[in-house]
């Protein structure tokens, strides 16, 4: 028994004409005639053929699966994919093709990242390799040590022993008056120290020896000396040291 004869027998058993079946299923009469002649070439493919068989089965009172199984056994030229079966039974939708990202986009991003990294490395290496400015050394001659003033200039040479002032034979009388300043005096009368110390301004000291009176004075400019009643000229300047011997 063919699929076409099965459809015809069932239609005739249900007392349905081809015209009535065509009206109720919206399938052309010519195509229905071909299908009952077991010709399914003009059904538009397995999917449409199965759809027509379901509609026809529902109209003529058959289980659609009986017609579908006969179609698969006798007319299906290709193995139906599970996907087609699921679509046909409205279990799943036709999968849409996933949009794939063009390889150009990630490639362009990778090239850009590599370019940025390379540029950063070049800049960093150039900065690290640039020679550091050599420190400038300014040479300057050290100032020559200034000559220190000779200390000998500040010191006053001790007065050289001066020749003894010879007076007439007899006692020697000497008076010292600190009229214009202080002085340090050392008086030796006949070989013995008679006075040693400071003579302050306004003081007067007199010494008499039998034969000789020797003196040491500092700052003779501040003193007035009288020898045997006769005033002597200044023996020296301010802060000088003098030594004299009177006989």
């Amino acid at each position: 028994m063919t699929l076409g004869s099965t459809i015809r027998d069932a239609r005739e058993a249900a007392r349905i004409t081809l015209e009535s079946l065509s009206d109720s299923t919206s399938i052309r009469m010519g195509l229905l005639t071909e299908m009952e002649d077991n010709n399914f070439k003009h059904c538009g493919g397995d999917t449409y053929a199965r759809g027509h068989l379901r509609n026809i089965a529902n109209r003529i009172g058959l289980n659609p699966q009986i017609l579908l199984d006969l179609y698969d056994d006798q007319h299906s030229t290709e193995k139906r994919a599970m996907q087609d079966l699921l679509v046909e039974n409205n279990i799943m939708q036709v999968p849409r093709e996933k949009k794939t990202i063009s390889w150009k986009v990630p490639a362009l991003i990778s090239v850009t990242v590599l370019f940025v990294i390379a540029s950063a490395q070049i800049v960093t290496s150039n900065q690290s390799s640039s020679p550091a400015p050599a420190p400038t050394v300014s040479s300057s001659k050290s100032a020559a040590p200034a000559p220190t003033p000779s200390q000998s200039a500040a010191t006053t040479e001790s007065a050289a022993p001066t020749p003894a002032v010879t007076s007439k034979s007899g006692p020697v009388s000497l008076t010292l008056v600190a009229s214009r300043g202080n002085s340090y005096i050392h008086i030796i009368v006949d070989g013995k120290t008679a006075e040693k110390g400071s003579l302050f301004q306004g003081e007067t000291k007199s010494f008499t020896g039998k034969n000789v009176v020797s003196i040491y004075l500092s700052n003779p400019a501040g003193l007035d000396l009288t020898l045997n009643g006769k005033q002597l000229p200044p023996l020296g300047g301010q802060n000088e040291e003098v030594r004299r011997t009177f006989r």
Side-chain angles (χ1 to χ4, degrees), residues 112-173:
T112 303
V113 172
L114 292 175
F115 176 76
V116 172
I117 294 173
S119 300
Q121 290 180 347
I122 291 172
V123 172
T124 304
S125 61
N126 289 336
Q127 290 179 351
S128 60
S129 62
S130 58
T136 57
V137 178
S138 58
S139 61
S140 60
K141 294 182 178 179
S142 60
T148 58
S150 122
Q151 297 178 351
S152 60
T155 59
T156 304
E157 294 181 357
S158 61
T162 56
V165 176
T166 303
S167 64
K168 294 181 179 178
S169 60
V172 177
S173 176

Side-chain angles (χ1 to χ4, degrees), residues 184-188 193-197 214-217 243:
Y184 182 82
I185 62 174
H186 184 190
I187 309 299
I188 300 174
T193 298
E195 185 69 28
K196 187 175 183 181
S214 298
I215 61 173
Y216 163 79
L217 301 175
R243 295 178 186 272

Side-chain angles (χ1 to χ4, degrees), residues 174-241:
L174 181 65
T175 302
L176 288 80
V177 180
S179 303
R180 293 172 296 275
N182 302 327
S183 179
Y184 182 82
I185 62 174
H186 184 190
I187 309 299
I188 300 174
V189 179
D190 296 331
K192 296 181 180 179
T193 298
E195 185 69 28
K196 187 175 183 181
S198 297
L199 182 66
F200 297 101
Q201 185 175 359
E203 290 184 336
T204 301
K205 289 188 180 291
S206 299
F207 304 94
T208 302
K210 293 181 180 179
N211 298 309
V212 61
V213 175
S214 298
I215 61 173
Y216 163 79
L217 301 175
S218 65
N219 190 24
L223 301 178
D224 290 329
L225 280 73
T226 302
L227 177 63
N228 295 328
K230 185 178 179 181
Q231 187 173 1
L232 298 176
L235 300 182
Q238 189 173 5
N239 296 326
E240 290 184 356
E241 295 178 354

